[in-house]
C-alpha cells in the first residue's frame, strides 16, 4: 500500500512538472509587447472635435430637465417640433485616435473622426492640447491628414502592409470610449478583405479588440511598425465582436502624400460596371472556375471603350495581378496613375486575350442612364416574355446599338429569374441582341440543362444573370 501511494505521488509529480514545462514553453513563444508599447505610445494621440449642431431653445412650457431621467432629458434637449421656441446652437464632441507621422506635426486619422468638424483638438500624451488644421480628407478611403503647429514631436515607425501575413501578431493603441493609450492585441485574420460599399480599400481584418474611439489609431506589427489604420468593426451589438478592419498603411500613405502635395486624391478609372463571376456564369463564359470581373456595362467614351473592352469580357488580370474576386478590380485600377497604360488579361468568347488600356481619372460623380418605352410587341413564349424593339430615341438615350425591351412577363423562366417589364435585354447566350427577331432566334436555340447568360439593363444599371432551361 505504501509503495502504491508513493508510485501515484511520483506520477503526479512528473505530470505536474510536464504541465509546467509546457506552460513555460508556451509563454516563451508568446510575444512581449512592452518594448513596442513603450516606444510607440508617445506618438499616438487622442482627437476630439467640436461641431455646431442645430437644436431648439427652451420655451416657458419646457419641463425641469434636471429632474428627468437621462433618456427623456436628451429628448427634450434636442427639442420637440411642435414646441414653441427659437433655434439655437450647441456644441457636440466626438472622440477618436490618430498618430504622428512627422516631427513637424502631420497626423493621420480617419475621415469619419473629423468629418464636418468646426474645431479639431489633438491631445498629446503629456496632456497638452493643440488645435489642428485639416490638410485634406478622402471619404473613399476614410483617411484624413491633420497638421498641428509643433516641432520635435515623437513619430511612429511606418512599415508596409504588402508583406503582411495571415496569423501574424498585431497590436492596436488608441482611445476606446475616451480611455487614452489603451493597448489591445491579436492576429491578422485576413488580408485584402472587401467590404460592402468600399471599393478602394483592401482591408486588413484582425481579431484585435476595437471599440468606438479606436478609429484612426495605428495598428502595429511586432517590429513596432504601423501597418494599418483602425477604421471599422463588424458588430450587431455596437461593441467589439471579434471582427475589426484596418486600412492598409500603403493605401493610407499614398492618400496622405497626395493630400499634402495636391490637396486631393486622384485615382485610376476604367469606365466599366462589373459584377461577380459565379459558378453558372463561369460555365456560361467557358471559364474553368469562378474568377475575374465580368464587364456588364462599358461607359461611352471612357477608357475601357477607347481601349476596346466589350460587354461580356471577363477581366482576369491587371498588369499581371490576378483578379480573383470582382472587387479586386477597383483596388488595382484605383492605384494606377491616370493617363498611364495598363495591360488587361481578359477572356472573350472563350479565348484569352491581352488589351492595353490607357487608364483615366476617376470622376467625382457617375452619370445615370435612362430607360423607358413601349413598342410593337413580339413574343418568345419559350422564355415567357413579350419583347419589342428599342426605338431610335431609346437607343440614343441608353447609348445602345440594339436590344429589346420587355413589355410583359408571362409564366416561365423569365418570371422565375425575376425579369420585369421595362428591362432591356442586350445579350443572350453570349450573343448580341440587335432586334426582336434576333432575340427570338437565339432564344429558340438555347441549350437545355446548361447555364445560359443574359445581360439585362434595368434603370440604367447593367448586369448579367444566368438560368437553365429544363428538358
Amino acid at each position: 500500500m505504501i509503495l502504491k501511494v508513493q508510485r501515484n505521488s511520483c506520477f503526479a509529480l512528473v505530470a505536474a512538472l510536464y504541465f509546467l514545462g509546457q506552460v513555460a514553453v508556451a509563454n516563451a513563444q508568446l510575444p512581449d509587447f512592452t518594448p513596442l508599447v513603450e516606444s510607440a505610445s508617445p506618438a499616438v494621440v487622442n482627437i476630439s472635435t467640436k461641431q455646431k449642431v442645430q437644436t431648439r431653445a427652451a420655451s416657458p412650457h419646457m419641463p425641469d430637465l434636471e429632474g428627468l431621467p437621462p433618456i427623456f432629458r436628451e429628448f427634450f434637449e434636442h427639442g420637440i417640433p411642435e414646441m414653441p421656441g427659437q433655434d439655437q446652437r450647441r456644441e457636440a464632441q466626438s472622440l477618436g485616435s490618430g498618430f504622428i507621422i512627422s516631427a513637424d506635426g502631420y497626423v493621420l486619422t480617419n475621415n469619419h473622426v473629423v468629418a464636418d468638424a468646426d474645431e479639431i483638438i489633438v491631445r498629446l500624451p503629456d496632456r497638452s492640447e493643440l488645435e489642428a488644421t485639416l490638410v485634406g480628407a478622402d471619404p473613399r478611403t476614410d483617411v484624413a491628414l491633420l497638421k498641428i503647429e509643433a516641432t520635435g514631436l515623437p513619430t511612429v515607425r511606418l512599415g508596409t502592409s504588402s508583406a503582411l501575413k495571415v496569423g501574424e501578431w498585431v497590436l492596436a493603441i488608441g482611445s476606446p470610449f475616451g480611455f487614452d493609450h489603451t493597448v489591445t492585441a491579436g492576429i491578422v485574420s485576413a488580408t485584402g478583405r472587401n467590404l460592402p460599399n468600399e471599393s478602394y480599400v483592401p482591408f486588413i481584418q484582425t481579431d484585435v479588440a476595437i471599440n468606438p474611439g479606436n478609429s484612426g489609431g495605428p495598428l502595429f506589427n511586432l517590429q513596432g511598425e504601423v501597418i494599418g489604420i483602425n477604421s471599422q468593426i463588424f458588430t450587431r451589438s455596437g461593441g467589439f465582436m471579434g471582427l475589426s478592419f484596418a486600412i492598409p498603411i500603403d493605401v493610407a500613405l499614398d492618400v496622405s502624400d497626395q493630400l499634402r502635395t495636391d490637396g486631393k486624391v486622384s485615382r485610376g478609372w476604367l469606365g466599366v460596371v462589373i459584377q461577380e463571376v459565379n459558378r453558372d456564369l463561369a460555365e456560361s463564359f467557358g471559364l474553368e472556375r469562378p474568377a475575374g470581373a465580368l464587364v456588364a456595362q462599358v461607359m461611352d467614351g471612357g477608357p475601357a471603350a477607347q481601349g476596346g473592352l466589350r460587354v461580356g469580357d471577363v477581366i482576369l488580370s491587371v498588369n499581371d495581378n490576378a483578379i480573383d474576386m470582382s472587387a479586386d478590380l477597383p483596388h488595382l485600377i484605383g492605384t494606377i496613375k491616370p493617363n498611364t497604360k495598363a495591360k488587361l488579361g481578359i477572356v472573350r468568347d472563350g479565348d484569352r486575350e491581352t488589351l492595353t488600356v490607357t487608364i483615366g481619372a476617376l470622376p467625382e460623380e457617375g452619370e445615370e442612364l435612362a430607360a423607358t418605352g413601349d413598342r410593337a410587341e413580339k413574343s418568345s413564349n419559350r422564355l415567357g416574355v413579350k419583347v419589342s424593339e428599342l426605338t431610335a430615341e431609346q437607343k440614343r438615350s441608353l447609348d445602345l446599338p440594339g436590344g429589346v425591351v420587355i413589355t410583359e412577363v408571362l409564366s416561365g423562366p423569365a418570371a422565375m429569374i425575376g425579369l420585369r417589364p421595362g428591362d432591356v435585354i442586350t445579350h443572350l447566350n453570349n450573343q448580341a441582341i440587335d432586334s426582336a427577331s434576333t432575340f427570338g432566334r437565339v432564344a429558340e436555340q438555347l441549350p437545355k440543362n446548361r447555364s445560359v447568360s443574359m445581360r439585362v439593363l434595368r434603370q440604367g444599371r447593367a448586369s448579367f444573370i444566368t438560368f437553365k432551361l429544363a428538358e
Side-chain angles (χ1 to χ4, degrees):
M1 185 67 179
I2 296 176
L3 291 176
K4 184 177 181 180
V5 172
Q6 290 176 340
R7 186 180 298 113
N8 289 342
S9 299
C10 183
F11 286 155
L13 178 60
V14 171
L17 290 175
Y18 176 79
F19 174 76
L20 292 174
Q22 292 297 104
V23 171
V25 170
N27 288 336
Q29 293 175 346
L30 292 175
D32 180 9
F33 295 111
T34 53
L36 189 164
V37 175
E38 291 173 357
S39 62
S41 289
V44 181
V45 299
N46 174 280
I47 296 175
S48 61
T49 64
K50 295 182 180 180
Q51 177 185 357
K52 298 295 184 181
V53 179
Q54 205 73 18
T55 182
R56 299 189 67 84
S59 75
H61 306 287
M62 179 76 77
D64 178 14
L65 301 184
E66 293 300 324
L68 291 176
I71 187 171
F72 292 107
R73 188 184 309 134
E74 181 180 358
F75 178 76
F76 280 107
E77 285 175 343
H78 282 79
I80 305 173
E82 294 79 14
M83 184 175 292
Q86 300 298 318
D87 286 348
Q88 62 182 8
R89 299 170 75 83
R90 66 181 179 86
E91 289 187 343
Q93 291 190 339
S94 66
L95 293 175
S97 305
F99 52 98
I100 304 170
I101 61 172
S102 68
D104 58 348
Y106 283 98
V107 177
L108 273 182
T109 187
N110 284 149
N111 170 68
H112 74 261
V113 171
V114 298
D116 301 321
D118 295 313
E119 185 180 4
I120 304 171
I121 302 298
V122 172
R123 185 165 70 242
L124 302 178
D126 62 3
R127 295 191 177 183
S128 60
E129 295 186 350
L130 298 173
E131 186 171 352
T133 301
L134 178 63
V135 177
D138 180 43
R140 282 190 169 112
T141 54
D142 196 25
V143 172
L145 181 66
L146 310 178
K147 179 67 168 66
I148 54 178
E149 295 303 322
T151 57
L153 295 172
T155 61
V156 296
R157 292 172 54 201
L158 297 173
T160 177
S161 49
S162 59
L164 202 61
K165 295 182 179 180
V166 175
E168 188 173 333
W169 281 98
V170 284
L171 177 141
I173 304 178
S175 304
F177 305 109
F179 295 109
D180 289 356
H181 292 86
T182 296
V183 178
T184 52
I187 62 169
V188 175
S189 305
T191 58
R193 183 67 78 196
N194 302 309
L195 300 183
N197 303 319
E198 301 286 354
S199 299
Y200 296 97
V201 180
F203 284 94
I204 302 167
Q205 179 184 325
T206 76
D207 66 352
V208 178
I210 300 297
N211 284 291
N214 274 115
S215 293
L219 185 70
F220 295 93
N221 60 17
L222 285 184
Q223 288 70 49
E225 301 167 331
V226 177
I227 46 85
I229 303 178
N230 297 309
S231 176
Q232 301 185 38
I233 61 173
F234 179 86
T235 178
R236 291 190 175 96
S237 65
F240 175 68
M241 294 184 66
L243 293 174
S244 55
F245 300 93
I247 304 163
I249 195 63
D250 297 348
V251 174
L253 290 179
D254 177 62
V255 169
S256 67
D257 289 343
Q258 293 189 58
L259 291 174
R260 190 186 303 193
T261 56
D262 303 327
K264 62 178 183 178
V265 179
S266 297
R267 289 185 177 84
W269 178 61
L270 193 55
V272 292
V273 175
I274 59 173
Q275 71 179 81
E276 198 68 59
V277 178
N278 58 27
R279 184 182 63 181
D280 291 335
L281 283 171
E283 178 184 341
S284 172
F285 285 94
L287 298 176
E288 297 176 357
R289 64 180 183 87
L294 174 60
V295 178
Q297 186 173 346
V298 178
M299 305 298 183
D300 182 41
Q306 296 176 10
L309 206 61
R310 302 177 190 171
V311 167
D313 290 344
V314 179
I315 304 173
L316 296 179
S317 66
V318 176
N319 290 336
D320 298 324
N321 295 302
I323 306 288
D324 290 324
M325 307 288 290
S326 62
D328 296 335
L329 184 65
H331 299 165
L332 292 172
I333 295 297
T335 61
I336 300 174
K337 300 298 181 185
N339 300 319
T340 59
K341 295 185 181 298
K343 291 192 306 178
L344 304 183
I346 68 169
V347 168
R348 175 180 293 171
D349 299 329
D351 298 324
R352 291 181 179 262
E353 301 181 21
T354 300
L355 295 180
T356 300
V357 178
T358 300
I359 301 300
L362 180 68
E364 291 298 322
E365 295 182 3
E367 296 182 357
E368 291 292 329
L369 300 175
T372 56
D374 284 318
R375 257 12 83 229
E377 298 179 0
K378 292 189 178 182
S379 65
S380 175
N381 290 327
R382 189 163 186 232
L383 290 180
V385 291
K386 290 184 178 181
V387 301
S388 63
E389 296 185 5
L390 297 176
T391 65
E393 181 183 352
Q394 280 183 309
K395 292 178 182 178
R396 186 170 53 255
S397 64
L398 295 171
D399 190 25
L400 293 175
V404 294
V405 60
I406 297 175
T407 58
E408 185 178 352
V409 178
L410 310 173
S411 60
M416 295 178 64
I417 61 178
L419 292 179
R420 307 174 188 170
D423 289 347
V424 176
I425 301 173
T426 64
H427 290 72
L428 180 61
N429 198 28
N430 301 334
Q431 298 182 53
I433 302 300
D434 55 8
S435 65
S437 60
T438 301
F439 175 79
R441 175 177 54 80
V442 175
E444 287 302 317
Q445 297 173 354
L446 291 177
K448 298 178 180 178
N449 291 323
R450 182 182 179 278
S451 293
V452 174
S453 64
M454 176 189 294
R455 181 179 183 261
V456 179
L457 196 71
R458 176 177 293 171
Q459 296 180 343
R461 300 288 292 182
S463 64
F464 281 87
I465 59 177
T466 58
F467 60 94
K468 290 183 180 181
L469 292 178
E471 293 289 347

